[in-house]
Amino acid sequence: EVQLVESGGGLVQPGGSLRLSCAASGFAFSMHSMSWVRQAPGKGLEWVSGIFPSGGSSYSDAVKGRFTVSRDNAKGTLYLHMNSLKPEDTAVYYCAASTDYNFPYRDTKYYDNWGQGTQVTVSS
């Protein structure tokens, strides 16, 4: 059974930083693409970043240059390093994986494995 468990969220002031983690189990994490997806209050799911098994990554325009995705295949853990946080980054952040598509698609419809999410609130 695929399990994804996010942690590291919290309350941070604008301009601050946070590091999110996602502990993965139940599948061959090191061979699988992964993504981070967020959902702001009252809005739909928004793809944030994706990473290939090799470490190659991509980002949405909203976070490019501020967020960095990484992975530790030995630990089965995905990370999202968030810098220069803005109030509009406030959302529940999920790590996600697709059973059938080993690619970090920007369209969230491809993902069928999700964590429980971790809340990030950016406010002064």
Side-chain angles (χ1 to χ4, degrees):
E1 178 187 2
V2 173
Q3 284 198 323
L4 302 171
V5 180
E6 301 95 338
S7 62
L11 173 64
V12 63
Q13 292 187 342
S17 299
L18 278 177
R19 187 186 78 164
L20 306 183
S21 300
C22 172
S25 61
F27 67 108
F29 175 82
S30 64
M31 300 175 65
H32 221 80
S33 294
M34 299 292 297
S35 285
W36 286 98
V37 176
R38 67 186 180 185
Q39 186 167 29
K43 297 190 176 181
L45 295 170
E46 177 190 14
W47 179 87
V48 172
S49 178
I51 186 167
F52 291 93
S54 61
S57 58
S58 57
Y59 301 89
S60 69
D61 288 345
V63 307
K64 192 176 297 181
R66 300 187 297 121
F67 290 11
T68 302
V69 62
S70 63
R71 63 192 300 159
D72 186 332
N73 287 336
K75 294 183 177 180
T77 303
L78 177 72
Y79 301 100
L80 186 67
H81 306 258
M82 306 186 295
N83 297 318
S84 302
L85 283 161
K86 305 174 181 181
E88 51 264 44
D89 294 317
T90 295
V92 177
Y93 284 72
Y94 301 92
C95 60
S98 172
T99 299
D100 296 326
Y101 303 97
N102 194 5
F103 189 88
Y105 286 104
R106 293 174 182 249
D107 190 333
T108 60
K109 74 179 183 183
Y110 288 100
Y111 299 102
D112 57 345
N113 296 290
W114 300 83
Q116 84 288 352
T118 186
Q119 176 71 48
V120 172
T121 302
V122 184
S123 175
S124 55

